[in-house]
Short mmCIF file of all heavy atoms in Angstrom, two decimals:
data_model
loop_
_atom_site.label_atom_id
_atom_site.label_comp_id
_atom_site.label_asym_id
_atom_site.label_seq_id
_atom_site.Cartn_x
_atom_site.Cartn_y
_atom_site.Cartn_z
N PHE A 96 58.31 42.93 18.99
CA PHE A 96 59.18 44.08 18.49
C PHE A 96 60.40 43.68 17.75
O PHE A 96 60.70 44.21 16.72
CB PHE A 96 59.56 44.88 19.81
CG PHE A 96 59.67 46.39 19.58
CD1 PHE A 96 58.62 47.23 19.95
CD2 PHE A 96 60.78 46.91 18.93
CE1 PHE A 96 58.70 48.57 19.66
CE2 PHE A 96 60.87 48.26 18.70
CZ PHE A 96 59.88 49.09 19.02
N HIS A 101 60.67 46.46 14.53
CA HIS A 101 61.94 47.13 14.06
C HIS A 101 61.87 47.41 12.54
O HIS A 101 62.78 48.17 12.03
CB HIS A 101 63.12 46.17 14.37
CG HIS A 101 63.67 46.43 15.69
ND1 HIS A 101 64.54 45.55 16.29
CD2 HIS A 101 63.57 47.50 16.49
CE1 HIS A 101 64.91 46.13 17.48
NE2 HIS A 101 64.32 47.29 17.63
N PRO A 105 63.00 53.46 13.63
CA PRO A 105 64.48 53.64 13.55
C PRO A 105 65.10 52.94 14.84
O PRO A 105 64.57 52.97 15.95
CB PRO A 105 64.64 55.18 13.67
CG PRO A 105 63.37 55.74 13.29
CD PRO A 105 62.35 54.80 13.67
N PHE A 106 66.27 52.34 14.62
CA PHE A 106 66.93 51.67 15.71
C PHE A 106 67.25 52.61 16.81
O PHE A 106 67.31 52.30 17.95
CB PHE A 106 68.18 50.99 15.20
CG PHE A 106 68.02 49.78 14.29
CD1 PHE A 106 68.77 49.69 13.12
CD2 PHE A 106 67.16 48.86 14.56
CE1 PHE A 106 68.58 48.62 12.28
CE2 PHE A 106 66.90 47.79 13.74
CZ PHE A 106 67.62 47.65 12.59
N HIS A 107 67.52 53.90 16.46
CA HIS A 107 67.84 54.95 17.45
C HIS A 107 66.72 55.02 18.46
O HIS A 107 66.99 55.20 19.66
CB HIS A 107 68.02 56.37 16.74
CG HIS A 107 69.29 56.57 16.17
ND1 HIS A 107 69.69 56.18 14.93
CD2 HIS A 107 70.49 57.22 16.72
CE1 HIS A 107 70.88 56.54 14.62
NE2 HIS A 107 71.40 57.12 15.68
N ASP A 108 65.46 54.93 18.02
CA ASP A 108 64.33 55.16 18.84
C ASP A 108 64.00 54.07 19.82
O ASP A 108 63.19 54.20 20.66
CB ASP A 108 63.11 55.54 18.03
CG ASP A 108 63.27 56.92 17.19
OD1 ASP A 108 64.29 57.61 17.47
OD2 ASP A 108 62.45 57.11 16.36
N ASP A 109 64.65 52.83 19.51
CA ASP A 109 64.27 51.68 20.28
C ASP A 109 65.23 51.30 21.28
O ASP A 109 64.96 50.33 22.13
CB ASP A 109 64.16 50.51 19.21
CG ASP A 109 63.04 50.72 18.20
OD1 ASP A 109 62.22 51.49 18.39
OD2 ASP A 109 63.21 50.12 17.13
N ILE A 110 66.34 52.05 21.37
CA ILE A 110 67.43 51.51 22.25
C ILE A 110 67.03 51.55 23.74
O ILE A 110 67.12 50.55 24.42
CB ILE A 110 68.67 52.46 22.02
CG1 ILE A 110 69.28 52.17 20.67
CG2 ILE A 110 69.71 52.23 23.18
CD1 ILE A 110 70.32 53.17 20.28
N ASP A 111 66.47 52.66 24.20
CA ASP A 111 66.10 52.75 25.64
C ASP A 111 64.93 51.79 25.92
O ASP A 111 64.77 51.28 27.13
CB ASP A 111 65.65 54.20 25.96
CG ASP A 111 66.90 55.09 26.00
OD1 ASP A 111 68.01 54.61 26.13
OD2 ASP A 111 66.62 56.36 25.80
N MET A 112 64.05 51.48 24.98
CA MET A 112 62.91 50.61 25.16
C MET A 112 63.43 49.19 25.56
O MET A 112 62.86 48.55 26.42
CB MET A 112 62.17 50.51 23.83
CG MET A 112 60.92 49.61 23.87
SD MET A 112 61.40 47.90 23.43
CE MET A 112 61.97 48.07 21.78
N TRP A 113 64.55 48.80 25.01
CA TRP A 113 65.07 47.42 25.37
C TRP A 113 65.49 47.41 26.89
O TRP A 113 65.39 46.44 27.51
CB TRP A 113 66.22 47.11 24.51
CG TRP A 113 65.79 46.73 23.10
CD1 TRP A 113 66.02 47.35 21.90
CD2 TRP A 113 64.99 45.54 22.73
NE1 TRP A 113 65.44 46.73 20.87
CE2 TRP A 113 64.77 45.63 21.31
CE3 TRP A 113 64.39 44.53 23.45
CZ2 TRP A 113 64.02 44.71 20.73
CZ3 TRP A 113 63.68 43.56 22.76
CH2 TRP A 113 63.51 43.60 21.39
N CYS A 132 67.06 41.03 26.12
CA CYS A 132 66.68 42.38 25.93
C CYS A 132 68.00 43.28 25.89
O CYS A 132 68.09 44.23 25.07
CB CYS A 132 65.81 42.96 27.05
SG CYS A 132 64.11 42.36 26.94
N ARG A 133 68.89 42.96 26.77
CA ARG A 133 70.26 43.74 26.75
C ARG A 133 70.96 43.45 25.53
O ARG A 133 71.76 44.31 24.96
CB ARG A 133 70.92 43.31 28.03
CG ARG A 133 70.46 44.06 29.27
CD ARG A 133 71.29 43.82 30.45
NE ARG A 133 71.02 44.81 31.49
CZ ARG A 133 71.70 44.95 32.71
NH1 ARG A 133 72.65 44.02 32.93
NH2 ARG A 133 71.39 45.90 33.49
N LEU A 134 70.93 42.23 25.03
CA LEU A 134 71.61 41.83 23.74
C LEU A 134 70.99 42.66 22.58
O LEU A 134 71.77 43.21 21.76
CB LEU A 134 71.37 40.33 23.51
CG LEU A 134 72.10 39.72 22.28
CD1 LEU A 134 72.48 38.30 22.53
CD2 LEU A 134 71.22 39.75 21.05
N CYS A 135 69.71 42.80 22.62
CA CYS A 135 69.07 43.62 21.53
C CYS A 135 69.41 45.10 21.66
O CYS A 135 69.61 45.78 20.70
CB CYS A 135 67.49 43.41 21.55
SG CYS A 135 66.97 41.84 21.01
N TYR A 136 69.60 45.52 22.90
CA TYR A 136 70.05 46.88 23.17
C TYR A 136 71.35 47.14 22.47
O TYR A 136 71.55 48.20 21.79
CB TYR A 136 70.18 47.13 24.68
CG TYR A 136 70.85 48.42 25.05
CD1 TYR A 136 70.11 49.64 25.23
CD2 TYR A 136 72.22 48.47 25.23
CE1 TYR A 136 70.81 50.87 25.48
CE2 TYR A 136 72.83 49.60 25.57
CZ TYR A 136 72.14 50.79 25.69
OH TYR A 136 72.86 51.98 25.98
N VAL A 137 72.32 46.20 22.70
CA VAL A 137 73.70 46.39 22.09
C VAL A 137 73.63 46.30 20.59
O VAL A 137 74.26 47.11 19.89
CB VAL A 137 74.59 45.26 22.64
CG1 VAL A 137 75.97 45.29 21.86
CG2 VAL A 137 74.78 45.43 24.11
N LEU A 138 72.84 45.44 20.05
CA LEU A 138 72.76 45.28 18.51
C LEU A 138 72.15 46.57 17.92
O LEU A 138 72.65 47.04 16.91
CB LEU A 138 71.87 44.04 18.25
CG LEU A 138 72.51 42.69 18.45
CD1 LEU A 138 71.46 41.63 18.14
CD2 LEU A 138 73.77 42.47 17.66
N CYS A 139 71.10 47.11 18.61
CA CYS A 139 70.54 48.36 18.10
C CYS A 139 71.50 49.49 18.24
O CYS A 139 71.53 50.42 17.32
CB CYS A 139 69.23 48.71 18.90
SG CYS A 139 67.76 47.74 18.38
N TYR A 140 72.21 49.50 19.25
CA TYR A 140 73.19 50.58 19.47
C TYR A 140 74.21 50.64 18.36
O TYR A 140 74.49 51.65 17.79
CB TYR A 140 73.93 50.36 20.85
CG TYR A 140 74.57 51.60 21.42
CD1 TYR A 140 73.99 52.33 22.44
CD2 TYR A 140 75.86 51.96 20.91
CE1 TYR A 140 74.59 53.45 22.91
CE2 TYR A 140 76.52 53.15 21.42
CZ TYR A 140 75.85 53.87 22.45
OH TYR A 140 76.48 54.90 22.94
N TYR A 141 74.78 49.48 18.04
CA TYR A 141 75.71 49.40 16.98
C TYR A 141 75.12 49.64 15.62
O TYR A 141 75.69 50.25 14.69
CB TYR A 141 76.50 48.11 17.00
CG TYR A 141 77.53 48.01 18.15
CD1 TYR A 141 77.65 46.77 18.86
CD2 TYR A 141 78.28 49.03 18.46
CE1 TYR A 141 78.60 46.69 19.93
CE2 TYR A 141 79.30 48.99 19.48
CZ TYR A 141 79.43 47.81 20.23
OH TYR A 141 80.30 47.71 21.20
N ALA A 142 73.94 49.03 15.30
CA ALA A 142 73.28 49.19 14.08
C ALA A 142 72.92 50.63 13.80
O ALA A 142 72.92 51.08 12.65
CB ALA A 142 72.00 48.34 14.03
N ALA A 143 72.60 51.39 14.84
CA ALA A 143 72.23 52.80 14.70
C ALA A 143 73.41 53.68 14.56
O ALA A 143 73.25 54.90 14.16
CB ALA A 143 71.36 53.22 15.89
N GLY A 144 74.62 53.21 14.84
CA GLY A 144 75.84 54.04 14.81
C GLY A 144 75.87 55.10 15.99
O GLY A 144 76.32 56.24 15.78
N MET A 145 75.40 54.64 17.13
CA MET A 145 75.45 55.57 18.27
C MET A 145 76.86 55.77 18.74
O MET A 145 77.81 54.93 18.45
CB MET A 145 74.63 54.93 19.39
CG MET A 145 73.13 54.77 19.13
SD MET A 145 72.35 56.41 19.11
CE MET A 145 72.22 56.72 20.85
N PHE A 173 78.87 36.97 24.12
CA PHE A 173 78.35 38.06 23.28
C PHE A 173 78.76 39.48 23.75
O PHE A 173 79.22 40.30 23.10
CB PHE A 173 76.85 37.91 23.07
CG PHE A 173 76.27 39.13 22.26
CD1 PHE A 173 76.37 39.19 20.91
CD2 PHE A 173 75.79 40.28 22.96
CE1 PHE A 173 75.87 40.24 20.19
CE2 PHE A 173 75.38 41.37 22.20
CZ PHE A 173 75.41 41.31 20.82
N VAL A 268 67.06 43.25 13.82
CA VAL A 268 68.39 43.95 13.96
C VAL A 268 69.60 43.02 13.67
O VAL A 268 70.56 43.54 13.12
CB VAL A 268 68.48 44.67 15.36
CG1 VAL A 268 68.59 43.70 16.50
CG2 VAL A 268 69.66 45.63 15.42
N MET A 269 69.52 41.78 14.09
CA MET A 269 70.66 40.88 13.76
C MET A 269 70.71 40.64 12.26
O MET A 269 71.84 40.66 11.74
CB MET A 269 70.43 39.58 14.52
CG MET A 269 71.61 38.59 14.39
SD MET A 269 73.08 39.24 15.27
CE MET A 269 74.34 39.04 14.08
N LEU A 272 72.24 43.76 10.54
CA LEU A 272 73.71 43.83 10.59
C LEU A 272 74.40 42.84 9.71
O LEU A 272 75.39 43.17 8.94
CB LEU A 272 74.22 43.67 12.06
CG LEU A 272 74.06 44.88 12.97
CD1 LEU A 272 74.24 44.49 14.46
CD2 LEU A 272 74.98 45.99 12.62
N MET A 345 72.89 57.63 11.00
CA MET A 345 73.75 56.45 10.95
C MET A 345 75.19 56.95 10.65
O MET A 345 75.65 56.85 9.51
CB MET A 345 73.32 55.45 10.01
CG MET A 345 72.04 54.72 10.49
SD MET A 345 71.49 53.39 9.35
CE MET A 345 70.18 52.65 10.31
#
Side-chain angles (χ1 to χ4, degrees):
F96 214 98
H101 269 163
F106 293 134
H107 278 88
D108 297 348
D109 299 339
I110 292 170
D111 291 337
M112 179 272 299
W113 286 113
C132 289
R133 284 188 161 182
L134 184 149
C135 288
Y136 169 89
V137 174
L138 290 174
C139 281
Y140 199 100
Y141 285 139
M145 295 289 285
F173 175 82
V268 65
M269 188 67 227
L272 284 169
M345 292 182 172

